[in-house]
Amino acid sequence: MKERMTTTMVPIGDALITQEQFLTERSLVLPLFNSSENSVGCIAIELIRSSENEAKQSYAEVEQFLFVNSLCANFQFDAIRGLLHVTELMAESRICFAVPKLLLNLWMHEEQRKIEDIENLSTFPKELEMVRQEVINLKTRLIEAYTQSSLYLDEHEGHFHKPSRDKGSRETEFVPVNLHFQRMCVTDSRPQEYIYDAITVGAFTAHAQSYKQGGLYAQLAKLEESRQSLPHRQSKSFDHESVHGVLENLHSLREEIRRQCDHLCYCANQGSGKMLKESSDLLADKSRQLFEVGELPVVCELVSSVDRMVAGDLDASKQEPAASAEAEGPAQWRWSGTKFVKTPTVEPWDVTRVNTEAALISLLAKVEEVIDVQSGEQRVAETFWLSLVSPLVINYKNNVDLVTHRACDALTLYSLMEDVSTASVAQSIQYRRDVIFSQGLTALVSGFYAIIWANIDSMAFLQQLVSIGLLVQYESLLSCHGDEMAMLEDTMVAMQDLDSVQFKFEESSREVFDHTFDPPKITGGRLRYTVHVLVPPHIFARLPKELKRGHGIRVIHVIFSIGINEQATLAETFGDVKLQELINYKSLHKLQNYFINFEEVLNLSEDDRRCVNDLMKELNMAVFAKRSKNTDILRIAAELAREMNGLRFTMCKSAKDRSSMAITLEQANILKQRHNLADFEQALNSMRSVGTRRENVAKNTNTRKYAFTSMQLLTFPKQYRPPSGTYGLGET
């Protein structure tokens, strides 16, 4: 027997069993005798059923390339009918340090491109020279900081886990705190095995940075307020983020169009009419997107502003002939159709756009002509296709370069004007935002791998991903008081940014995954990311045709937050929980929209439809009920997420104490509601005492006790209190 408080082990008694009995009997009840040979009770031994072994084997197949360093705990609980065999598994994510490295490389490239945009501005007011140099210096230092973090992560070896004691480390601040995969496998009287997965992770926040200015939500509001007072904002209503988004989109489309132009030439060189037609269609689609961006009000107005500035410079240069040579710049050149020529006036933006569209029409017409002639009687030698197409491709690429250059110049100049008095603050906020996004995306990708592999054979689930996307539900136990208020603000912004993420499947070149598992690829930029998931060919072949063709899986994030500790009591008594209420209201609205789509797309039975409807009504009432520490919101939201095949997350400050209480409570609720658990309290206390979550605490703090005090626990809802002997003063 092990005593909980001191973990002292004391022998109760002993029993004898023969090898024959052990191998042949399915269940045994053996009497226990102490050293005085007095009976002190009995011990029951039961053979673990093969379905549980199969559960462990199926998990091992997933674990070998997704999750590592797993811990396991086995339980047997009484059900109303029969017994429940429960296996609790906890493991680290193999990509915990890989995803942050991918993002850092992506951001370094993006910052370098911004520096080049600023340095290459063809039209530039002299009064902004100091701002330009300051912004370049700030971005250079940001690249240096990202480079140092990337080098440290490259050198990291060993475990795939960032313990909570390292949450203030600058070197690993892009890595999520205490990220773990949690699985519960259940077998009951039915022949089927049931699996319930969740991810536990610390709050997406910048622990290594200060909370004096609040969290990101408050800092972004202050930054936007300060920008509203800038002179150029008085006549224009374009916010910084929308301008930056259009700029990133222009860069992306320019690169995609150039790649497609090169591929068109390749197809022409191959002499394949089918390939040429497909390539020209893709080029036309990307070009259409570019033309739509060029017609946006933000682009038209800002380009016109720069044109007026250039026109003013040209008028001044006419009055000062000696300086005319210096006044000439790229804005005084235009494309004549065969080459760039000087012009005394600035070409109107509409004309530049029309010329680009005309160049595309000419190119597509020539491609159609080549294909039509090839299919007719007058065949053209395939070796001459490239010579017919390439001059028009070069012409079109030059036009695209010109139109994107003018638009990017105008947008970059506007962004620079935004930084007149806020450059340093904006850079600090961007760094913090990148830190929390990296943590959030790492956790999300880990969870995505888990839920995909658990449901890879479910065509209904995969079709749901295609039609309405993946629901990701976060359960937060952060309070609206002190530093945790700022942590909650950081996490809230991370949720908003994660909405820009989509997933795509790609076929791996390897038939199976092993310890050299291929990490995902990440493309895009800060306002739009695509995570490319590599899967073996035999699994890729089973995917729906839409996913094989590169259909993006969008992600719908909802977060419900209820503080449960003593700080939450202070917030409710002396402060306010408006942020918590705002988060829950917004998430309820998003979940209702997803619920509507879920009912329309999935062919639900009457019972399932009634169950989901009832849960949705319960959640709606719970969110609007004015109750202290209303944890019913968390319970109902978790049930609803599982009913709608969603991915579940549980988080608190460091995901070891309050999160352990929450995840074990959810597991006990599942056993009670879905498997007729007889003794709820016994199962809950057992999982908290000898389950994997005690080991999680030990991994983080080197002690197996939850970091609670008796006084603290008096403020906790009863179901979130650990059993006696499992908690004490410790590192939070």
Side-chain angles (χ1 to χ4, degrees), residues 252-497:
S252 175
L253 287 171
R254 176 180 177 274
E255 293 304 315
E256 289 176 0
I257 288 173
R258 291 186 69 85
R259 281 196 298 268
Q260 205 57 50
C261 284
D262 293 340
H263 186 257
L264 189 71
C265 290
Y266 169 80
C267 295
N269 193 44
Q270 294 297 309
S272 170
K274 181 180 179 181
M275 290 174 59
L276 198 61
K277 180 70 170 76
E278 291 176 353
S279 183
S280 65
D281 289 343
L282 289 173
L283 177 61
D285 181 61
K286 293 298 177 184
S287 300
R288 176 187 54 77
Q289 295 178 38
L290 177 64
F291 300 152
E292 289 175 354
V293 173
E295 294 173 357
L296 292 174
V298 61
V299 176
C300 295
E301 186 169 339
L302 294 181
V303 171
S304 298
S305 297
V306 172
D307 289 349
R308 289 192 292 272
M309 190 185 304
V310 173
D313 291 343
L314 290 175
D315 292 340
S317 68
K318 292 176 183 177
Q319 299 174 5
E320 301 178 19
S324 61
E326 298 179 3
E328 291 179 355
Q332 293 173 253
W333 294 78
R334 66 177 177 84
W335 182 253
S336 67
T338 57
K339 62 181 180 178
F340 284 101
V341 296
K342 289 183 180 180
T343 174
T345 59
V346 180
E347 181 178 81
W349 176 239
D350 289 344
V351 175
T352 303
R353 284 172 28 226
V354 169
N355 287 341
T356 306
E357 294 179 21
L360 175 66
I361 292 171
S362 298
L363 173 58
L364 297 179
K366 177 58 70 175
V367 170
E368 289 290 337
E369 180 184 335
V370 168
I371 295 173
D372 290 343
V373 170
Q374 183 65 13
S375 60
E377 296 181 358
Q378 297 181 347
R379 299 175 64 85
V380 179
E382 294 172 353
T383 54
F384 293 108
W385 284 19
L386 183 60
S387 62
L388 294 172
V389 172
S390 60
L392 295 173
V393 170
I394 295 171
N395 178 19
Y396 181 58
K397 286 170 73 174
N398 287 331
N399 274 276
V400 169
D401 287 344
L402 182 61
V403 75
T404 54
H405 174 74
R406 290 188 65 183
C408 289
D409 255 16
L411 295 167
T412 301
L413 183 58
Y414 185 85
S415 297
L416 205 59
M417 293 167 70
E418 292 269 281
D419 292 328
V420 167
S421 59
T422 62
S424 179
V425 175
Q427 192 81 334
S428 174
I429 289 176
Q430 185 61 68
Y431 184 86
R432 187 186 192 98
R433 196 167 188 173
D434 288 345
V435 166
I436 66 168
F437 180 82
S438 174
Q439 296 173 9
L441 184 63
T442 303
L444 174 62
V445 175
S446 300
F448 184 83
Y449 271 99
I451 197 170
I452 286 298
W453 247 256
N455 297 277
I456 197 66
D457 292 322
S458 172
M459 189 56 64
F461 173 76
L462 295 174
Q463 286 293 349
Q464 178 182 342
L465 298 185
V466 173
S467 302
I468 59 176
L470 174 66
L471 174 65
V472 181
Q473 188 259 326
Y474 297 82
E475 174 180 324
S476 162
L477 301 165
L478 295 168
S479 65
C480 290
H481 185 268
D483 287 350
E484 287 201 6
M485 176 78 157
M487 295 177 196
L488 189 56
E489 289 186 354
D490 283 354
T491 303
M492 182 181 180
V493 175
M495 297 295 111
Q496 295 171 357
D497 291 347

Side-chain angles (χ1 to χ4, degrees), residues 562-563 572 621-623 625-634:
I562 296 292
E572 292 179 347
M621 289 188 291
V623 167
K626 298 294 183 180
R627 282 175 49 197
S628 173
K629 297 183 180 179
N630 188 3
T631 56
D632 283 347
I633 293 175
L634 305 181

Side-chain angles (χ1 to χ4, degrees), residues 465-571:
L465 298 185
V466 173
S467 302
I468 59 176
L470 174 66
L471 174 65
V472 181
Q473 188 259 326
Y474 297 82
E475 174 180 324
S476 162
L477 301 165
L478 295 168
S479 65
C480 290
H481 185 268
D483 287 350
E484 287 201 6
M485 176 78 157
M487 295 177 196
L488 189 56
E489 289 186 354
D490 283 354
T491 303
M492 182 181 180
V493 175
M495 297 295 111
Q496 295 171 357
D497 291 347
L498 286 170
D499 281 336
S500 67
V501 176
Q502 65 171 351
F503 288 86
K504 289 185 178 182
F505 287 104
E506 288 187 9
E507 186 174 6
S508 173
S509 58
R510 293 190 294 170
E511 287 292 334
V512 295
F513 286 161
D514 51 25
H515 63 280
T516 58
F517 148 73
D518 291 329
K521 296 186 295 183
I522 302 176
T523 58
R526 283 192 176 97
L527 297 177
R528 183 180 58 188
Y529 296 88
T530 300
V531 180
H532 303 266
V533 178
L534 300 174
V535 296
H538 69 281
I539 292 179
F540 187 82
R542 300 206 300 264
L543 296 176
K545 60 182 180 180
E546 295 90 347
L547 296 180
K548 291 180 186 177
R549 294 171 182 169
H551 178 87
I553 300 171
R554 63 193 185 95
V555 185
I556 296 86
H557 297 85
V558 294
I559 173 172
F560 291 93
S561 184
I562 296 292
I564 63 170
N565 63 359
E566 74 284 359
Q567 294 188 40
T569 303
L570 291 173

Side-chain angles (χ1 to χ4, degrees), residues 41-158:
C42 61
I43 180 171
I45 300 175
E46 182 162 342
L47 183 67
I48 296 177
R49 291 185 289 180
S50 60
S51 57
E52 291 187 24
N53 293 326
E54 291 169 4
K56 294 174 188 174
Q57 182 179 359
S58 66
Y59 174 75
E61 293 172 357
V62 176
E63 180 201 25
Q64 66 180 344
F65 63 92
L66 289 180
F67 301 100
V68 293
N69 301 330
S70 62
L71 295 170
C72 176
N74 292 291
F75 303 93
Q76 179 174 286
F77 301 124
D78 289 326
I80 294 176
R81 293 181 180 177
L83 296 172
L84 297 180
H85 300 276
V86 179
T87 301
E88 195 182 33
L89 299 152
M90 184 182 71
E92 300 168 8
S93 171
R94 189 186 287 272
I95 59 174
C96 187
F97 288 80
V99 172
K101 286 192 291 186
L102 295 173
L103 286 173
L104 285 168
N105 292 332
L106 205 64
W107 291 330
M108 284 188 282
H109 175 75
E110 185 175 331
E111 291 300 322
Q112 186 58 47
R113 191 180 63 223
K114 288 180 180 178
I115 291 175
E116 292 171 0
D117 283 344
I118 296 171
E119 290 177 335
N120 296 332
L121 278 172
S122 56
T123 303
F124 193 79
K126 294 180 180 179
E127 59 268 20
L128 290 180
E129 179 57 41
M130 289 184 63
V131 179
R132 174 161 78 163
Q133 196 55 51
E134 180 188 4
V135 172
I136 290 175
N137 292 338
L138 285 170
K139 292 191 178 300
T140 301
R141 288 201 291 271
L142 188 63
I143 292 174
E144 292 172 355
Y146 287 168
T147 302
Q148 290 299 317
S149 296
S150 181
L151 289 174
Y152 181 86
L153 295 178
D154 283 335
E155 295 170 358
H156 175 81
E157 294 180 352

Side-chain angles (χ1 to χ4, degrees), residues 582-648:
L582 175 65
I583 289 172
N584 293 341
Y585 292 155
K586 285 186 174 181
S587 293
L588 176 64
H589 179 68
K590 289 177 70 175
L591 192 59
Q592 286 172 333
N593 290 335
Y594 188 86
F595 165 70
I596 293 170
N597 295 330
F598 179 80
E599 280 198 311
E600 291 177 353
V601 170
L602 269 74
N603 185 22
L604 300 175
S605 66
E606 283 301 318
D607 289 342
D608 289 341
R609 190 179 299 276
R610 189 181 305 109
C611 174
V612 177
N613 269 285
D614 290 345
L615 285 171
M616 198 71 238
K617 291 175 183 176
E618 284 184 52
L619 181 61
N620 188 74
M621 289 188 291
V623 167
F624 285 97
K626 298 294 183 180
R627 282 175 49 197
S628 173
K629 297 183 180 179
N630 188 3
T631 56
D632 283 347
I633 293 175
L634 305 181
R635 175 185 58 79
I636 300 168
E639 290 181 33
L640 198 50
R642 292 195 184 278
E643 289 292 337
M644 293 197 287
N645 307 318
L647 174 60
R648 281 273 299 114

